[in-house]
Amino acid sequence: MEELRDVAIIGVGMTKFGKSDKSVVELFAEAANQAMEDAGIVGKDVEALFVGNCFGGFYEGFMNMAPHLAWEIGAKTAPAFRLEGACTSATYAFILAWNWVASGMVDIAIAGGTERSMLPGTPYATRTFAMGAEKFESDCGMTFPGVFATCAMLYSKTYDIPLEKLREMMAYVSIKNHKHGALNPKAQFYKKYGELKVEDVINSRMIAYPLTLLDCCPFSDGASAVVLCSADIARRFTDEPIYVLGVGAASGGGLHRQEDYIKPIARVTSARKAFKMAGLSPDDIQYFEGHDCFTIAEIILLEACGFFEWGKAAKATMEGETEIGGKIPTNMSGGLIGKGHPVGCTGTAQVYACVEQMLGKAVKGNQVTPPPEVAMTDNLGGDFASLGHIILGRSKRSKYRR
C-alpha cells in the first residue's frame, strides 16, 4: 500500500446558527462559498464534494441533495456524496474527503454539512432525533435526554459523587459554553445566557432528571464547509494551511450491546486511532472541540478521549481546567450548548472552530493565547453508536511524530 499524502485545510466557512428561512441547499451554498472564497478557489476547482445531512428527507422532502449542492456551488459534474451518521454526519464527510485527497483520487475536495433542525417543531424533531438510536430503544420511548440523564445517574453512582453535587459540577459546563457562545457572532445564543450562575442551570425547566433545559443543547439550523487539498499544493492558496494529522472512527451499536455507557468503547477506540495516526497523545492537544450535546456528555467525552482520568473531569471542569488558561480549553466556540447543533453540519463546524483558533481568528474572549499548534475534534452520533475524531496541526505530521 502506498503512503497516504498529507492533506491540508485551505478554507473554511460557516453560516450563523439558529432559526433560518433558507433551504438546506441555500445554507450549504452560503457556507461553501465562504470556504471557497477563503481558499481562493471557485466551484470548478472542486473535484469532489461530501456533505453531511440527517433530516432533509423528513423535514424538506429532499433526499438526493448532494448532486444538487455540487451544481449550486459551481462544482457541477464533480462526484458528490451525502453522508448520514446522525450527529457525526459531517465528521464522516470530512474523513471521506480527507481519504479521497490523501489517496490521490483528487487534489481538492469540499466537506461539509447542512441541516434545518428547527423546521419541524419540538415533538416531531424529538421523534426523528430518536431515530438515530437503535430501533428498539426509540420504539420503547427512549430519547437522547433520557439516555444522558441515565449517564448522569451512572456517573454519580460509579464515582460516588452525590447527585446534587454532580448537578453543580455539570452546571459549570453550561456556564462555560454559554459564556463563549454569547461572544460568538455565529452562535445561536449570541449575546444570550453569557452570565449564567449555577442556580440558573439547576433551576431551569426539568427535561429528563437530572438534566434541565440549560444542561441541553438546542435544535438549530445551519451549515458549515471545509476545503481540503493535497498538502504539496496548499501554499498556492494560503500562507497558513492547517494540516490533517490524524482521523479516527468507530462504531458502538445499540445501548444493549455496550458494557459501560460512561466509558464508551467506540469513543475510546476512535480517539486512540486518531492519536495513533498523528503520533500524538492527549497531552499534545492544545485546543479541543467536543460533542457537548448535554453537560454530562462533555464530562464523559473528556475522560474517554484521555484528557482526564475516569471520574475526574466533572471536578476538573468546575475548577476551570477546560477554560482558557486551563489544561485543555474546550468548546470556546460555545460548543453545541452555546453555539447550536444543526445535526448534519456539526462535525465540520467543529473543524471551523479549531481552524479559527489555530489562525488566531476567534473572537475576543474566546481566543486561546498563544494560538494552539494542535487541535482536536470529537463527534458522537446516536447513543455512542457513531464516533469520529480529527486532529489538526499547524505543521505536517512528520513534525509531531515520535
Side-chain angles (χ1 to χ4, degrees), residues 8-10 229 231 234-235 238-243 359 393-395:
I9 294 169
I10 56 173
C229 77
R235 291 193 179 274
T238 178
D239 293 331
E240 295 185 290
I242 299 296
Y243 298 97
L359 296 178
R394 294 291 301 269
S395 298

Side-chain angles (χ1 to χ4, degrees), residues 116-360:
R116 292 184 70 195
S117 303
M118 299 183 77
L119 189 63
T122 299
Y124 186 45
T126 300
R127 176 70 184 100
T128 50
F129 271 56
M131 292 177 184
E134 205 271 350
K135 179 171 169 55
F136 298 107
E137 296 163 21
S138 59
D139 283 356
C140 289
M142 180 65 92
T143 65
F144 292 129
V147 170
F148 283 91
T150 301
C151 289
M153 294 289 198
L154 284 170
Y155 195 96
S156 170
K157 182 176 178 61
T158 301
Y159 300 120
D160 197 24
I161 303 172
L163 188 57
E164 288 307 307
K165 181 62 178 177
L166 178 60
R167 293 184 68 197
E168 291 180 19
M169 292 172 165
M170 293 191 306
Y172 282 92
V173 176
S174 181
I175 291 166
K176 169 179 66 71
N177 294 355
H178 277 113
K179 168 189 168 184
H180 292 289
L183 297 174
N184 181 355
K186 294 202 172 187
Q188 182 163 342
F189 294 133
Y190 178 51
K191 294 185 177 181
K192 297 178 181 178
Y193 307 120
E195 297 181 354
L196 291 176
K197 296 179 175 61
V198 169
E199 55 268 29
D200 296 327
V201 180
I202 290 176
N203 294 328
S204 61
R205 181 159 57 92
M206 188 59 66
I207 301 300
Y209 188 80
L211 302 180
T212 67
L213 182 65
L214 291 175
D215 283 305
C216 307
C217 75
F219 298 154
S220 314
D221 300 340
S224 56
V226 180
V227 179
L228 301 98
C229 77
S230 173
D232 57 8
I233 63 171
R235 291 193 179 274
R236 297 181 193 174
F237 305 100
T238 178
D239 293 331
E240 295 185 290
I242 299 296
Y243 298 97
V244 183
L245 306 183
V247 299
S251 302
L255 289 175
H256 70 285
R257 301 180 188 275
Q258 300 183 40
E259 194 169 314
D260 192 337
Y261 302 168
I262 59 175
K263 295 181 181 177
I265 188 61
R267 176 171 263 141
V268 173
T269 301
S270 176
R272 288 179 178 174
K273 286 179 179 179
F275 284 126
K276 183 178 179 179
M277 181 184 291
L280 300 174
S281 76
D283 289 340
D284 297 308
I285 306 301
Q286 299 169 354
Y287 181 72
F288 187 50
E289 282 277 327
H291 188 94
D292 59 316
C293 46
F294 302 91
T295 51
I296 189 64
E298 181 167 305
I299 291 166
I300 291 170
L301 68 88
L302 286 164
E303 296 173 2
C305 292
F307 296 111
F308 298 99
E309 294 179 11
W310 300 114
K312 302 298 185 184
K315 184 172 184 288
T317 298
M318 184 176 66
E319 293 175 346
E321 291 297 324
T322 56
E323 254 289 6
I324 293 174
K327 178 181 178 180
I328 180 67
T330 299
N331 288 329
M332 298 297 100
S333 67
L336 281 64
I337 286 174
K339 180 178 62 186
H341 183 31
V343 179
C345 106
T346 283
T348 40
Q350 292 177 321
V351 172
Y352 176 96
C354 286
V355 170
E356 291 282 286
Q357 283 284 344
M358 297 170 83
L359 296 178

